[in-house]
């Protein structure tokens, strides 16, 4: 299934994408694509609904983040060896874990706002993992059983705040609008191998990133198991799993977003995002 949320920001309704690309309204059956609805029983209940009986949503409504009420937005850094190389950093021996604040979450086609005074805003296409059931100290072999599904994430980053202002990476990762998620959550049963997904990103039509989750240093199963040792993962938590090479920081000379650009990005089978970049100062 492809689950989504549509409507004005802050007032999104739950929906499902049918085989013809139409949005079907789920609001009579679930309150949101969040919490218990993402658990095994919740997903079975949604899958059992008579698709043709669900109302078709007319027009082309705004899509919100495909997961609502996200408890935690966890991120993994330097998870592709060639990205670590372009960043001038060693390949990590354990996953690099940081936070993106949940207030940064936005829809897949919402504008991305460059923070006031920022000069080094960058892009990162990533595979997002949505947790479906509580996970604490789970074994790697069982880790994927706790996953509800997968989605596209743009881990927008402000490099000066991330690397040059002291402290942790979190500073540069959680500005408002820096976490577009979606367009939809593709349930785990439709993604037989999360380590075999092509992903890409373009800025103003120029392809900057082209990669595959096959080249991740730490697999999705390893990441979920590792994170479950650091925190209890809850239904609706989102883990974004790192980016392949091609970020602006790695260009010679570096290329950063200035405002006015359009980013397009996607992952095979998980859909595409499109964001216009604007300055907020």
């Amino acid at each position: 299934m492809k689950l989504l949320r549509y409507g004005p920001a802050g007032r999104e309704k739950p929906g499902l994408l049918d085989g013809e690309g139409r949005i079907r309204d789920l609001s009579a059956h679930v309150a949101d694509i969040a919490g218990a609805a993402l658990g095994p029983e919740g997903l079975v209940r949604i899958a059992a609904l008579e698709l043709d009986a669900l109302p078709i949503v007319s027009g082309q409504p705004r899509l919100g983040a495909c997961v609502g009420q996200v408890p935690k937005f966890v991120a993994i850094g330097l998870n592709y060896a060639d990205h670590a190389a372009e960043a001038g950093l060693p390949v990590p021996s354990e996953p690099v874990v940081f936070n993106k604040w949940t207030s940064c979450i936005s829809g897949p086609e919402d504008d991305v706002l460059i923070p006031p005074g920022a000069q080094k805003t960058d892009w990162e296409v990533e595979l997002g993992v949505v947790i479906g059931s509580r996970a604490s100290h789970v074994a790697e072999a069982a880790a994927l059983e706790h996953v509800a599904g997968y989605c596209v994430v743009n881990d927008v980053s402000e490099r000066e705040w991330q690397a040059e202002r002291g402290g942790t990476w979190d500073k540069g990762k959680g500005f408002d609008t820096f976490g577009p998620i979606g367009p939809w959550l593709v349930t785990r049963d439709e993604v037989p191998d999360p380590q075999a997904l092509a992903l890409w990103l373009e800025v103003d039509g120029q392809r900057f990133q082209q990669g595959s989750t096959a080249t991740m240093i730490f697999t999705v199963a390893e990441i979920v198991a590792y994170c479950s040792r650091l925190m209890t993962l809850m239904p609706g938590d989102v883990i974004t799993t790192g980016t392949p090479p091609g970020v602006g920081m790695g260009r010679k000379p570096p290329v950063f977003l200035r405002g006015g650009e359009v980013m397009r990005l996607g992952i095979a089978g998980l859909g595409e995002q499109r964001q216009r970049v604007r300055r907020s100062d």
Side-chain angles (χ1 to χ4, degrees):
M1 294 184 292
K2 293 181 174 65
L3 303 176
L4 54 87
R5 300 168 68 249
Y6 69 95
R11 293 185 285 128
E12 293 92 347
K13 294 182 179 180
L16 181 152
L17 195 74
D18 70 16
E20 297 181 33
R22 299 173 300 189
I23 297 174
R24 299 277 184 161
D25 180 36
L26 287 175
S27 56
H29 304 278
V30 295
D32 200 356
I33 307 300
L38 296 169
E41 292 181 3
L43 294 179
V44 167
R45 199 157 43 242
I46 294 172
L49 296 172
E50 182 62 43
L51 184 62
D52 290 341
L54 297 173
I56 296 173
V57 178
S58 62
Q60 294 182 313
R62 168 191 173 271
L63 294 182
C66 59
V67 185
Q69 307 171 49
V70 175
K72 295 188 290 294
F73 194 0
V74 182
I76 306 299
L78 304 177
N79 198 28
Y80 292 73
D82 34 14
H83 172 56
E86 73 176 350
L89 296 169
V91 174
S93 59
E94 294 191 26
V96 175
V97 181
F98 59 93
N99 287 304
K100 288 180 75 75
W101 318 126
T102 55
S103 54
C104 82
I105 292 173
S106 58
E109 297 196 349
D110 291 345
D111 290 351
V112 165
L113 303 179
I114 298 175
Q119 297 297 320
K120 297 183 179 181
T121 301
D122 206 347
W123 55 82
E124 295 189 10
V125 59
E126 304 196 4
L127 172 66
V129 179
V130 180
I131 300 299
S133 59
R134 186 181 185 276
S136 178
H137 293 272
V138 300
E140 182 184 328
L144 295 187
E145 297 173 13
H146 295 269
V147 172
Y150 303 93
C151 60
V152 182
V153 175
N154 190 353
D155 176 20
V156 184
S157 308
E158 209 295 318
R159 302 301 187 187
E160 180 185 357
W161 280 101
Q162 177 186 350
E164 302 172 25
R165 303 293 289 263
T168 65
W169 287 11
D170 304 343
K171 285 184 180 181
K173 294 287 190 171
F175 288 101
D176 290 353
T177 74
F178 272 28
I181 297 177
W184 37 76
L185 183 162
V186 180
T187 50
R188 189 179 79 229
D189 59 296
E190 294 193 7
V191 185
D193 185 0
Q195 305 308 143
L197 302 174
L199 61 172
W200 56 272
L201 181 143
E202 298 176 350
V203 180
D204 288 341
Q206 179 179 350
R207 182 69 56 99
F208 281 92
Q209 292 188 276
Q210 183 81 53
S212 169
T213 58
T215 65
M216 281 182 177
I217 299 168
F218 304 104
T219 66
V220 171
E222 289 174 308
I223 289 167
V224 171
Y226 186 88
C227 288
S228 79
R229 294 166 55 193
L230 309 177
M231 66 197 84
T232 298
L233 296 172
M234 301 299 292
D237 282 348
V238 176
I239 305 174
T240 189
T241 57
T243 197
V247 299
M249 175 182 64
R251 306 283 289 187
K252 299 188 186 308
V255 176
F256 295 115
L257 299 167
R258 299 300 181 190
E261 301 93 344
V262 173
M263 293 184 284
R264 288 184 62 246
L265 56 148
I267 301 178
L270 304 186
E272 297 183 8
Q273 298 185 357
R274 179 186 183 277
Q275 296 109 25
R276 183 169 296 280
V277 182
R278 295 195 291 114
R279 297 204 69 91
S280 56
D281 53 2

